[in-house]
Amino acid sequence: ELKDNTIIVVLGASGDLAKKKTFPALFGLYRQGFLPRDVKIVGYARTKMDKAEFDKRATSYLKNPNDDPQITEAIQTFKSISTYISGNYDEGDDFAKLNDHLKEIEAGYPKPTNGTPHCNRIFYFALPPPEGVKRVIVEKPFGKDLDSARELLSSLKQYWSEDETFRIDHYLGKEMVKNLLVLRFANVAMGAAWDKNHISNVQITFKEPFGTEGRGGYFDEFGMIRDVLQNHLLQVLSILTMERPVSFSAEDIRDEKVKVLRSIPPIAREDTLLGQYVAANGKPGYLDDDTVPHNSVCPTFAATTLWIHNPRWEGVPFILKAGKALNEAKVEVRIQFKDVTQGIFKDIARNELVIRIQPSEAVYLKINAKTPGLITRAMPTEMDLTYKRRFTETKIPEAYEALILDALKGDHSNFVRHDELDVAWKIFTPILHWIDGKDGARPRPVPYPYGSRGPKELDPFISKYGFKRADAS
Ligand code: BG6
């Protein structure tokens, strides 16, 4: 509930609705003490008028049939807390003027003795709908768990249809993520080996070499799983594992994504490893960040293994892992194939298909080939498609460039559909509630040094799911 330092901005303040309904309702609430203390009301509309004229309009529908002096006085104070700014609805400069006005009002609010100063702004859009297409692009986080996401979805749905809504997950705009569908479905050889008979395990890895660095206030409330796994990495997983869509239309693609996601049960605690970075190499630990509570157990590293219960993937572990303050910046998919039939070859490295999403986009396949020369030994080598070497003339677009353009075109293929979001939260909500302490004591993440490869528990965690390091195979 908003108690103080609140400004209510009425856009369309010279219109009929504002005059007849909005201002009388605001006045009624104000007089009865339901509005926050110190509330200020700001009208904004195209009509140029002075304060006296605005007051006349804003109060013309306020009723005081018996000339009650208390109401007369309340109308006077209501006028004194109201101001008016005129401007257009399609002019950045005019909105900047409105913003300056709001800042001026906010500067007049008393400074808190402790805690951060805050001001609340409520915008009431009493505006006619614009001509033409309306679209809204929404950023994550889309809620914190299944219930809050559903609440958010249904409140936005009142104003924006699914067709008008573009929920961004910027990983869907990355060149290599977009390439996954083509690699899988435009190549017979690739498609043929894409199942539990050939693949041993899959890792989807996200590594960042920096910590929360002042962004701890946001991060601590969300943690690594909500920040990256539940959205970016799960999106990559769904494209990697979905069945062939009937067409490349947005709905056909997303139908298949939702179907595969629905085959994934909620993540089990024993399939989860949580870490938090500590000071090392002259860099501060997570808890040294001033914006982070000193006893926080928020994970800055998380590895979780997902299982897909369908005929293609039954039994194949999909390991999603992401961490901040690690030794390098890298996002990649690593598909490790099964051992070759034993007999003539022993202890030979497994094939691995690596799709490097960033930096330096690449697809490479680790294969075994005969060592060139007069010997017959096999050696591991690579078939390598590194973009900057192969496609020297092409500029790889930024993910947001690609997505904003898609939204302008009205193409939803690379945006998150409502049912996709719902099922993504179903997979992650139980583990998140456990981490949040909803089922008892909060689990403690294991420490790892800033700038390291991650917790020392990571290697045993991955090998538990059958991953074999090339040198150990
Ligand atoms: C954001 C996360 O969604 O993705 C950040 O909130 C993260 O914590 C970022 O750093 C990573 O995006 P990119 O494109 O730099 O890999």
Side-chain angles (χ1 to χ4, degrees):
E1 198 191 341
L2 304 177
K3 292 218 170 64
D4 47 19
N5 299 8
T6 297
I7 307 175
I8 300 176
V9 184
V10 180
L11 297 144
S14 64
D16 210 43
L17 178 79
K19 186 166 75 175
K20 289 184 181 155
K21 302 284 187 203
T22 319
F23 286 116
L26 287 173
F27 175 69
L29 292 173
Y30 176 70
R31 198 167 65 81
Q32 295 169 76
F34 284 118
L35 293 190
R37 268 181 313 130
D38 302 334
V39 69
K40 296 277 190 283
I41 292 167
V42 176
Y44 181 92
R46 277 188 302 236
T47 314
K48 289 204 164 49
M49 56 183 160
D50 60 15
K51 167 81 170 124
E53 175 64 23
F54 171 69
D55 283 348
K56 214 159 89 193
R57 285 205 198 193
T59 56
S60 61
Y61 272 75
L62 309 188
K63 293 197 182 68
N64 187 8
N66 304 325
D67 282 333
D68 179 335
Q70 270 183 349
I71 299 183
T72 311
E73 198 193 320
I75 292 178
Q76 282 316 316
T77 37
F78 187 68
K79 283 183 187 168
S80 75
I81 62 158
S82 306
T83 46
Y84 178 77
I85 297 278
S86 78
N88 287 310
Y89 300 120
D90 51 3
E91 287 285 343
D93 285 354
D94 289 354
F95 280 116
K97 206 171 68 182
L98 172 65
N99 192 35
D100 288 344
H101 180 65
L102 300 181
K103 281 204 210 137
E104 219 171 276
I105 297 177
E106 285 168 355
Y109 282 132
K111 303 272 167 300
T113 42
N114 51 28
T116 27
H118 74 273
C119 292
N120 312 304
R121 295 177 176 187
I122 310 279
F123 292 88
Y124 188 106
F125 286 84
L127 298 175
E131 292 299 321
V133 173
K134 298 183 292 301
R135 287 186 189 136
V136 58
I137 304 177
V138 194
E139 257 296 348
K140 75 176 234 279
F142 306 118
K144 289 192 75 183
D145 59 7
L146 185 59
D147 285 349
S148 54
R150 283 186 174 168
E151 215 170 285
L152 186 68
L153 281 176
S154 70
S155 55
L156 286 176
K157 203 167 80 184
Q158 295 174 39
Y159 308 102
W160 302 94
S161 69
E162 185 66 21
D163 212 39
E164 292 168 330
T165 308
F166 291 77
R167 294 178 202 92
I168 279 209
D169 182 311
H170 78 287
Y171 268 57
L172 291 175
K174 292 194 188 259
E175 185 68 23
M176 267 301 155
V177 177
K178 291 166 102 176
N179 189 23
L180 288 173
L181 283 183
V182 182
L183 280 181
R184 287 192 56 199
F185 299 115
N187 295 294
V188 171
M190 209 79 90
W194 215 261
D195 59 25
K196 65 180 180 198
N197 299 322
H198 300 90
I199 292 174
S200 160
N201 60 81
V202 177
Q203 290 179 59
I204 305 176
T205 306
F206 170 104
K207 295 172 84 176
E208 271 183 348
F210 46 84
T212 44
E213 262 112 88
R215 205 171 150 244
Y218 152 80
F219 190 86
D220 200 75
E221 215 191 302
F222 287 84
M224 203 61 205
I225 293 187
R226 284 189 181 92
D227 195 40
V228 169
L229 276 81
Q230 183 269 351
N231 32 72
H232 303 330
L233 301 194
L234 192 69
Q235 281 294 343
V236 173
L237 172 88
S238 67
I239 301 175
L240 207 62
T241 57
M242 66 190 249
E243 293 301 314
R244 186 188 185 88
V246 175
S247 79
F248 268 2
S249 79
E251 297 325 317
D252 282 343
I253 292 175
R254 296 186 299 175
D255 283 350
E256 293 303 337
K257 285 170 73 186
V258 170
K259 210 159 91 192
V260 76
L261 289 174
R262 288 178 58 205
S263 312
I264 304 177
I267 295 159
R269 292 180 194 181
E270 55 276 18
D271 283 334
T272 305
L273 171 67
L274 304 172
Q276 190 183 78
Y277 64 89
V278 294
N281 308 314
K283 298 285 193 163
Y286 179 64
L287 298 184
D288 301 324
D289 187 327
D290 286 343
T291 53
V292 166
H294 71 280
N295 54 357
S296 170
V297 287
C298 173
T300 59
F301 176 96
T304 58
T305 301
L306 277 67
W307 305 90
I308 303 175
H309 293 310
N310 70 16
R312 184 188 288 278
W313 295 118
E314 188 72 40
V316 179
F318 289 85
I319 306 162
L320 269 44
K321 53 199 214 308
K324 298 224 169 245
L326 296 177
N327 60 334
E328 60 180 342
K330 190 157 78 185
V331 180
E332 67 170 28
V333 176
R334 184 172 296 262
I335 298 168
Q336 187 168 69
F337 290 87
K338 292 198 162 171
D339 287 323
V340 78
T341 308
Q342 295 294 303
I344 50 170
F345 295 114
K346 262 200 236 29
D347 295 337
I348 199 162
R350 286 174 162 184
N351 289 147
E352 272 180 24
L353 177 67
V354 182
I355 299 154
R356 192 165 60 227
I357 296 170
Q358 64 191 41
S360 180
E361 293 81 355
V363 182
Y364 58 94
L365 179 64
K366 294 187 167 198
I367 57 164
N368 295 299
K370 187 181 102 51
T371 310
L374 295 172
I375 45 172
T376 43
R377 204 172 332 119
M379 59 171 255
T381 183
E382 284 163 9
M383 295 200 319
D384 184 357
L385 173 62
T386 295
Y387 272 38
K388 64 173 178 244
R389 282 204 291 274
R390 186 65 62 100
F391 306 118
T392 45
E393 302 299 312
T394 320
K395 178 193 174 290
I396 309 273
E398 286 297 323
Y400 276 98
E401 290 173 355
L403 292 174
I404 291 171
L405 206 58
D406 280 351
L408 290 177
K409 289 189 206 143
D411 181 352
H412 279 88
S413 313
N414 295 310
F415 291 87
V416 185
R417 204 167 68 184
H418 67 98
D419 48 350
E420 229 178 321
L421 190 61
D422 199 85
V423 66
W425 280 118
K426 274 188 187 146
I427 297 170
F428 280 95
T429 293
I431 199 84
L432 286 166
H433 281 179
W434 172 59
I435 293 169
D436 291 347
K438 291 211 161 79
D439 306 334
R442 298 186 66 177
R444 291 213 148 262
V446 294
Y448 63 96
Y450 196 121
S452 66
R453 288 179 56 239
K456 64 178 181 335
E457 291 79 356
L458 181 61
D459 282 341
F461 180 84
I462 301 168
S463 42
K464 188 168 93 180
Y465 298 103
F467 175 73
K468 288 191 190 168
R469 294 185 76 81
D471 44 20
S473 58

